[in-house]
Amino acid sequence: MPHPNDPKLKSFIAVDPTSDFPIQNLPYGVFSAPGAAPRVGVAIGDFVLDLALLESEGLLKANEPGVFAQSSINAFMALGPKVWSQTRARISELLRDDNPTLRDNANLRARALLPRKDVQLHMPFTVAGYTDFYSSKEHATNVGVMFRGKDNALQPNWLHMPIGYNGRASTVVVSGTPIVRPQGQLKPPSADAPTFGPCKRLDFELEMGVVVGGASQMGEMLTEAQAEAMIFGFVLLNDWSARDIQQWEYVPLGPFQAKAFGTSISPWVVTREALEPFRVKGPAQDPQPLPYLRQLGANNYELTLDVGLRTAGMNAPANISQTNFKYMYWSSVQQLVHHASSGCAMNVGDLLGSGTISGPEKDQRGSLLEISWNGAEPLELPGGDRRTFLEDGDSLVMRGWCQGAGYRVGFGEVEGTIRAAE
Ligand code: MN
């Protein structure tokens, strides 16, 4: 049987070469048809394949009956990497152009394949815990230069470990959910005392999110291989950030309310297995990390990322940044190894934000803080709007994909529109 990543595979469903969802992808999500309960599905072309229905028809088994008739993929993820792989191979087989099971059964096809435009997409998994890292050297350097000057841009610890903080799982939301402008304590350096009010420096952060599909015990460290095996897949992630709230609150324990009001993710979880053909080595690490953090594998991905901004007066988003996930200094595997290194237990459904992904070039910056250089260089948009930070009514859209030969393994998009403070 051909491997599900085989570039030559074709589905009986026509898929455009620029679609994010060819048969080589098969990302998992949670959807509902009008009047029906949310359940697990897979995206293929412009359709969603209903896995709960396939299971009830006896065409798909995943060790635990009813695992797809649920409103999250957590129970499926908990079955482990062997079942993930077997399930993906079976779904691929059922969608292949040389398999008549679905292809030639019009009745079953009509029930199992729903046009994506007719269904609602939900949070694909229940977020057990959310941690956000700070692992792009270009981003950390840009921010450091802005606030501490060129000579002290990176803090002394930065090259020795993936820096992170524990975020909030409660406000991780799926693409399309409006984001209410946060309120908080503001104290510009020129003010004597703080005031409470709407954030004036609202920003996005372009990130990838790792979806952890395995668990580790309290007191247990992880090896590179164990950490990798626990990674189920990836989503696009927008770590909305209130820069002015952050500036006043972050000393000495790091971001708190500035990052707690909302984090948006894309609805489809692209599996680690589907990204396998796009693995690349990350940047050389100098100094060499401590032994527990050393990695042998090529744990980065050649994955194009694109950010669009649409103001209320624009018809379509304008591209404001295009970068690549491959630039990350610390890999997702190293982040997970470090996260468990103290004996911190990891859970099925944990979400790890990569940290803002900026590239070496000016047009590869992954936040408005960097794009507008802390407000000093306003962004000029088509139609004449200018932005230093986000205004009410602005919509931010992130896309990501790996380019194969004649197909792409993509993530769809994560969108969020800013609403006025309440
Ligand atoms: Mn972040």
Side-chain angles (χ1 to χ4, degrees):
M1 199 166 87
H3 191 277
N5 288 349
D6 188 335
K8 290 192 291 296
L9 290 188
K10 291 238 179 308
S11 173
F12 60 83
I13 293 171
V15 179
D16 190 88
T18 61
S19 166
D20 281 335
F21 309 122
I23 193 169
Q24 287 82 4
N25 190 349
L26 307 179
Y28 292 91
V30 170
F31 74 97
S32 60
R39 42 180 52 197
V40 178
V42 151
I44 175 80
D46 295 330
F47 293 85
V48 176
L49 179 66
D50 183 340
L51 300 189
L53 183 94
L54 292 186
E55 194 195 9
S56 68
E57 296 282 329
L59 292 171
L60 184 67
K61 276 197 206 70
N63 282 19
E64 191 181 300
V67 81
F68 301 117
Q70 303 193 13
S71 59
S72 86
I73 62 170
N74 293 52
F76 171 61
M77 292 197 292
L79 298 176
K82 214 175 144 188
V83 174
W84 307 341
S85 227
Q86 288 166 351
T87 304
R88 183 163 175 266
R90 175 63 180 152
I91 295 167
S92 172
E93 188 187 12
L94 286 167
L95 288 171
R96 263 178 16 219
D97 61 355
D98 59 356
N99 186 330
T101 314
L102 256 176
R103 189 192 65 193
D104 296 348
N105 185 336
N107 177 289
L108 178 61
R109 224 174 49 218
R111 288 182 293 131
L113 285 158
L114 307 168
R116 217 166 57 241
K117 61 175 173 51
D118 295 345
V119 304
Q120 191 187 345
L121 297 175
H122 303 274
M123 273 293 291
F125 61 104
T126 304
V127 182
Y130 168 49
T131 306
D132 192 35
F133 285 90
Y134 189 58
S135 289
S136 154
K137 193 176 175 186
E138 289 82 2
H139 171 71
T141 303
N142 284 339
V143 174
V145 169
M146 251 179 265
F147 295 111
R148 285 184 301 277
K150 218 168 182 159
D151 297 334
N152 303 301
L154 287 183
Q155 298 281 10
N157 55 10
W158 200 94
L159 291 168
H160 296 278
M161 63 177 143
I163 301 297
Y165 65 92
N166 286 298
R168 286 296 297 174
S170 60
T171 28
V172 179
V173 293
V174 74
S175 176
T177 308
I179 299 295
V180 175
R181 178 176 298 273
Q183 305 203 66
Q185 283 204 22
L186 313 170
K187 192 192 122 8
S190 56
D192 294 332
T195 55
F196 186 85
C199 158
K200 294 187 178 72
R201 294 158 71 85
L202 183 56
D203 203 353
F204 70 88
E205 290 190 339
L206 168 65
E207 304 195 17
M208 293 299 296
V210 167
V211 183
V212 176
S216 69
Q217 297 303 308
M218 182 175 170
E220 175 186 291
M221 284 181 78
L222 295 172
T223 63
E224 178 186 5
Q226 288 169 329
E228 172 157 21
M230 281 169 63
I231 295 177
F232 176 77
F234 293 81
V235 290
L236 299 167
L237 185 148
N238 182 349
D239 179 33
W240 303 97
S241 298
R243 300 298 178 196
D244 41 6
I245 297 172
Q246 186 177 355
Q247 181 187 28
W248 168 235
E249 77 172 1
Y250 88 106
V251 180
L253 287 184
F256 185 42
Q257 294 303 292
K259 305 269 194 175
F261 60 92
T263 303
S264 302
I265 63 167
S266 53
W268 297 107
V269 183
V270 175
T271 61
R272 174 169 53 83
E273 187 179 279
L275 296 178
E276 200 60 27
F278 308 99
R279 282 171 90 116
V280 289
K281 263 210 172 318
Q285 296 187 316
D286 180 25
Q288 192 178 65
L290 290 169
Y292 81 102
L293 273 176
R294 280 180 207 158
Q295 55 181 1
L296 297 170
N299 291 329
N300 283 36
Y301 297 95
E302 171 78 48
L303 194 171
T304 300
L305 293 160
D306 177 294
V307 183
L309 172 60
R310 182 175 54 74
T311 67
M314 290 164 67
N315 293 324
N319 178 268
I320 59 168
S321 175
Q322 189 164 85
T323 184
N324 200 296
F325 192 35
K326 72 180 175 189
Y327 295 125
M328 295 308 282
Y329 187 87
W330 296 104
S331 72
S332 306
V333 171
Q334 285 177 311
Q335 290 175 341
L336 188 47
V337 166
H338 183 64
H339 206 320
S341 65
S342 63
C344 170
M346 302 305 297
N347 285 315
V348 173
D350 279 342
L351 174 66
L352 313 184
S354 60
T356 308
I357 305 163
S358 292
E361 304 302 328
K362 215 175 160 179
D363 59 0
Q364 295 180 317
R365 294 170 175 173
S367 65
L368 279 172
L369 176 70
E370 294 163 274
I371 292 171
S372 77
W373 208 252
N374 200 20
E377 301 170 18
L379 178 67
E380 307 280 349
L381 293 162
D385 279 336
R386 301 172 95 208
R387 286 290 180 275
T388 48
F389 292 96
L390 296 169
E391 296 188 7
D392 295 341
D394 285 358
S395 166
L396 209 286
V397 187
M398 298 170 176
R399 295 171 189 279
W401 64 93
C402 298
Q403 188 63 52
Y407 69 98
R408 55 167 62 163
V409 172
F411 287 78
E413 66 175 39
V414 56
E415 187 272 348
T417 300
I418 306 301
R419 282 202 184 153
E422 283 173 353

